[in-house]
Amino acid sequence: MDLTAYIRDVPDFPKPGILFKDITPMLQEPAAFREAVDLLADLLDGRQVDALMLVEARGFIFGAALAYRLGIPLVPLRKEDRLPAATHRVTYSLEYGDDVMEMHKDGVAPGSRVVVVDDVLATGGTLAAACRLVEEAGAEVEALAVVIELTELSGRDLLKGYDILTILEY
Ligand code: AMP
């Protein structure tokens, strides 16, 4: 199946100059969504994965299905002030502005191996921030798993030393 047929390009969203990769068409076609989740699961085959850390909001969609399929815990990485218990927090830059993310302090166990899941790798700022939170909790980043990598934005340069697993590259 050509999964690129289920990614919609939306120019100038949310700001002029940004070409937004919209994954909602993939969510409307169950076979495409299943294939994307299955491909992510295949990429993790043979790795030790103790938990998935899911980036709000679209990382929740793919990551929850992946956690269900793999039978492993998931930890939500949320925007500022959404989580009710004690958190670790980090400030980071997006392709389109600054933001704060938080995770519960007890979200991942020290020494555990965590895979961070999101829909798109753009500049890498979000995933780099997620890695900092994993490490602040005393856990290790096993890999970063994303559906789409925007290679022209060179997000990998910010993420040196981490294994980056992607299913579609633009
Ligand atoms: P970055 O931190 O620049 O790698 O941006 C990644 C985060 O922003 C992800 O959570 C994406 O969902 C979102 N994002 C950034 N750029 C785009 C884009 N061009 N299309 C879709 N989502 C994007």
Side-chain angles (χ1 to χ4, degrees):
M1 179 181 285
D2 177 15
L3 291 182
T4 60
Y6 301 96
I7 305 295
R8 171 167 51 196
D9 283 355
V10 183
D12 300 320
F13 181 87
K15 283 187 177 173
I18 305 286
L19 181 62
F20 193 85
K21 293 290 183 188
D22 175 21
I23 51 90
T24 62
M26 179 178 275
L27 306 180
Q28 290 173 272
E29 175 46 62
F33 179 54
R34 186 180 299 125
E35 178 151 328
V37 173
D38 287 346
L39 287 170
L40 290 171
D42 290 348
L43 290 172
L44 295 177
D45 196 35
R47 289 176 177 268
Q48 184 194 329
V49 186
D50 300 312
L52 299 179
M53 176 182 274
L54 315 186
V55 180
E56 184 172 354
R58 290 178 298 277
F60 289 1
I61 298 169
F62 293 96
L66 193 56
Y68 178 85
R69 153 97 202 248
L70 297 174
I72 53 178
L74 68 82
V75 186
L77 198 53
R78 299 221 54 188
K79 294 184 177 140
E80 198 170 18
D81 295 336
R82 306 265 169 87
L83 288 170
T87 62
H88 292 299
R89 56 185 280 140
V90 68
T91 304
Y92 66 106
S93 346
L94 280 169
E95 194 183 355
Y96 37 80
D98 274 356
D99 221 336
V100 172
M101 286 191 306
E102 297 183 87
M103 65 173 273
H104 275 148
K105 282 189 173 166
D106 61 1
V108 294
S112 62
R113 302 196 68 83
V114 176
V115 171
V116 184
V117 182
D118 204 355
D119 65 333
V120 173
L121 164 58
T123 65
T126 305
L127 288 174
C131 291
R132 292 213 297 279
L133 286 176
V134 170
E135 287 158 4
E136 200 172 326
E140 287 186 48
V141 177
E142 168 66 23
L144 309 172
V146 299
V147 178
I148 298 166
E149 177 178 0
L150 303 178
T151 55
E152 281 181 7
L153 295 174
S154 305
R156 280 176 188 260
D157 293 350
L158 259 193
L159 298 166
K160 288 213 169 76
Y162 297 109
D163 282 348
I164 302 171
L165 312 172
T166 63
I167 60 178
L168 298 173
E169 289 171 15
Y170 289 87

